[in-house]
Amino acid sequence: MQVQAYGAHAADKPLESLEITRRAPGAHDVQIDIAFCGICHSDLHQVRAEWAGTQYPCVPGHEIVGRVSAVGAHVTSHRVGDLVGVGCIVDSCQHCAECDEGLENYCDGMIGTYNAPTPDAPGWTQGGYAEKIVVHERYVLKVRHPEEQLAAVAPLLCAGITTYSPLRHWNAGPGKKVGVVGIGGLGHMGIKLAHAMGAHVVAFTTSDSKREAARQLGADEVVVSKNADEMAAHAKSFDFILNTVAAPHDLDALLVLLKRDGTMALVGAPATPHPSPNVFNLIMKRRSLAGSMIGGIPETQEMLDFCAEHGIVADIELVRADQINDAYERMLKGDVRYRFVIDNATLAG
Ligand SMILES: [Zn+2]
Ligand SMILES: [Zn+2]
């Protein structure tokens, strides 16, 4: 089946309207009419070949929400008409230890929602900047938010789970002091989620102008990281720091804020490495420096249900398809509060 999409034909070309092919739903497939798709920073990296191996035409998008429009004969978990989401994963090996534990995100055979190998034409996956997508039922999530919130649910499928999973893994909750570094697409979700989990949340920003915004998102305190006195006041006090910043920066300035046995988890993927941390800052208080990548399918469902229960969605700016290239430029400048979401009804032009 041919569907309208938006994508790029080369790394140095803007995204434009194009047609792509979707497979007919197989026995275990769910066909989704995509209503909205979030714009993630990874989309821009892939489209511009800033990470290795981009295939063209590249149709990005892995923050997908919409309604089921067809199901295969053996599909039991979703029905036509259901509100559903698809995140960063559309397939995995389904038999390794990670898949068995519902940690498909760490499967060596994980297939990303775009730019990953597939038997489908054209040979690599194409993502959510499209009218429809066809996905194996295992990787389709249920959306239990009210329909009027659907556009703002889309970013939960990447930004939401990328922050939820480490917060859960390192036990953010009542009695815990949790830092969130960076107040962008990821960080704003991190603040909302950590607050809803009951942690004492401290937001770190380089920009004094984001103080009030961070408080509105749920931060109990806000630290401007350039201010040495403000930083020093929090020395050796954090149980956990969620670091969402993708640009290379001084990790030591944050590591020294962890108390004994504290952990800082990195979820931003820098194009060039961070300066190496001073190992003494790890040794001295048995601190850990860790990483985390999105989340598995069961935890992504848990995150969506947690967000529905607590009324949590992303703060978004809705754009038309013909505004995607401008949105990329604005995203590079940090000029979005906090996530762009595409209205896929505008793809057909
Ligand atoms: Zn993403
Ligand atoms: Zn696997």
Side-chain angles (χ1 to χ4, degrees):
M1 135 188 60
Q2 296 293 111
V3 306
Q4 284 292 323
Y6 224 76
H9 288 284
D12 58 353
K13 291 279 195 314
L15 284 81
E16 57 183 278
S17 186
L18 47 84
E19 271 200 350
I20 61 170
T21 305
R22 294 296 193 197
R23 68 175 182 257
H28 288 282
D29 283 338
V30 175
Q31 176 184 298
I32 301 159
D33 289 355
I34 303 175
F36 303 101
C37 183
I39 297 180
C40 173
H41 216 107
S42 305
D43 301 354
L44 185 152
H45 286 303
Q46 289 276 8
V47 159
R48 298 188 177 175
E50 291 167 358
W51 296 340
T54 303
Q55 309 251 37
Y56 296 93
C58 174
V59 174
H62 59 203
E63 294 182 339
I64 297 165
V65 289
R67 215 173 258 290
V68 175
S69 53
V71 295
H74 294 159
V75 170
T76 54
S77 44
H78 304 284
R79 290 182 186 179
V80 170
D82 285 356
L83 284 181
V84 294
V86 174
C88 307
I89 309 171
V90 292
D91 205 355
S92 62
C93 85
Q94 304 190 19
H95 53 68
C96 70
E98 280 71 25
C99 286
D100 285 350
E101 288 186 52
L103 295 170
E104 299 89 345
N105 49 319
Y106 298 119
C107 169
D108 290 335
M110 182 196 114
I111 299 298
T113 302
Y114 56 84
N115 200 45
T118 171
D120 298 349
W124 54 93
T125 53
Q126 294 181 310
Y129 298 7
E131 289 176 310
K132 295 177 196 291
I133 192 166
V134 177
V135 179
H136 187 288
E137 63 174 323
R138 174 174 177 155
Y139 307 92
V140 177
L141 291 312
K142 294 188 185 305
V143 172
R144 299 188 167 99
H145 287 74
E147 184 167 11
E148 54 272 23
Q149 292 186 321
L150 195 58
V153 168
L156 301 182
L157 276 305
C158 174
I161 186 60
T162 296
T163 50
Y164 181 92
S165 183
L167 287 167
R168 277 284 187 240
H169 185 76
W170 281 283
N171 303 310
K176 297 293 179 70
K177 184 172 173 182
V178 170
V180 178
V181 186
I183 308 173
L186 292 172
H188 97 287
M189 288 310 310
I191 294 170
K192 289 186 187 208
L193 291 166
H195 174 73
M197 289 172 185
H200 181 86
V201 183
V202 181
F204 292 87
T205 175
T206 52
S207 140
D208 205 39
S209 64
K210 285 194 176 171
R211 263 184 212 279
E212 190 45 42
R215 283 193 179 277
Q216 282 170 13
L217 291 167
D220 297 289
E221 300 178 65
V222 185
V223 171
V224 173
S225 53
K226 292 175 193 160
N227 184 326
D229 290 343
E230 280 187 57
M231 293 288 276
H234 289 272
K236 301 179 219 170
S237 67
F238 283 88
D239 295 283
F240 179 64
I241 296 176
L242 176 66
N243 187 337
T244 72
V245 176
H249 62 282
D250 176 14
L251 301 177
D252 287 305
L254 295 159
L255 285 172
V256 296
L257 305 187
L258 293 171
K259 65 185 191 190
R260 174 178 52 80
D261 291 325
T263 297
M264 176 160 75
L266 309 180
V267 295
T272 55
H274 294 293
S276 298
N278 182 341
V279 174
F280 280 96
N281 286 331
L282 300 174
I283 291 173
M284 295 302 284
K285 293 279 177 198
R286 198 163 59 186
R287 297 171 175 125
S288 300
L289 179 60
S292 179
M293 185 179 76
I294 47 175
I297 296 299
E299 192 173 49
T300 304
Q301 187 63 63
E302 178 190 306
M303 176 277 306
L304 284 171
D305 294 348
F306 179 87
C307 288
E309 190 183 316
H310 289 84
I312 295 172
V313 291
D315 290 10
I316 66 157
E317 184 176 331
L318 198 61
V319 295
R320 299 186 310 271
D322 61 10
Q323 295 174 305
I324 292 172
N325 292 299
D326 288 339
Y328 276 22
E329 293 311 313
R330 286 184 50 199
M331 184 167 60
L332 280 173
K333 287 185 265 178
D335 176 23
V336 54
R337 295 247 169 125
Y338 289 92
R339 205 66 148 175
F340 289 112
V341 173
I342 300 161
D343 178 354
N344 287 44
T346 64
L347 285 169

